[in-house]
């Protein structure tokens, strides 16, 4: 999709630090990390948010979650634990309108989140 930041990363037009590449998904480091491990996992296809993706392509939704888990394995944080987050809409402060799974870990994450 034109003018979409994460479509640009998926296409290789916008630089990012890639950590895991799959045919339909991609993991890269968040530019402003909130934990020692903070990776964003996206679908290569454009979907605005998690609800849209889940209804449009449940198989791809499952692939996104599996890629997130594989990132956590690769980062070595499955033993200590990690958090998976989707922000949707204004109140959740979704700032990029292309579905992205935050994979966060490497420290005590605390609950509830801010
Ligand atoms: P959200 O607030 O859930 O929409 O998350 C968007 C995330 O994208 C934020 O954590 C940003 O730090 C991150 N971000 C924005 N631009 C980039 C970029 N060019 N490369 C990597 N992460 C980015």
């Amino acid at each position: 999709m034109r003018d979409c930041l994460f479509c640009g990363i998926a296409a290789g037009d916008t630089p990012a630090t890639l950590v895991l590449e799959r045919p339909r998904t991609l993991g890269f480091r968040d530019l402003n990390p909130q934990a020692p491990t903070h990776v964003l996992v996206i679908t290569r296809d454009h979907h605005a948010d998690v609800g849209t993706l889940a209804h449009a392509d449940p198989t791809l939704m499952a692939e996104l979650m599996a890629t997130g888990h594989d990132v956590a394995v690769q980062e070595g944080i499955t033993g200590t634990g990690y958090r998976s987050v989707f922000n949707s809409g204004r109140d959740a402060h979704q700032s990029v309108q292309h579905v992205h799974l935050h994979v966060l870990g490497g420290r005590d994450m605390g609950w509830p989140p801010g």
Side-chain angles (χ1 to χ4, degrees), residues 20-89:
L20 194 53
E21 293 187 75
R22 293 274 160 80
R24 300 219 293 164
T25 58
L26 181 66
F28 56 93
R29 299 207 184 278
D30 195 294
L31 212 53
N32 182 25
Q34 302 301 311
T37 290
H38 188 172
V39 174
L40 301 176
V41 184
I42 64 170
T43 57
R44 293 183 185 276
D45 289 348
H46 183 87
H47 296 273
D49 55 38
V50 63
T52 307
L53 169 64
H55 281 287
D57 193 338
T59 302
L60 182 56
M61 176 74 209
E63 285 180 39
L64 184 65
M65 296 308 297
T67 305
H69 178 71
D70 292 347
V71 164
V73 170
Q74 187 173 292
E75 294 286 309
I77 56 173
T78 51
T80 46
Y82 67 96
R83 181 164 295 154
S84 304
V85 174
F86 290 100
N87 292 320
S88 297

Side-chain angles (χ1 to χ4, degrees), residues 85-95 102 114:
V85 174
F86 290 100
N87 292 320
S88 297
R90 185 195 61 194
D91 283 358
H93 294 251
Q94 182 181 5
S95 60
H102 296 257

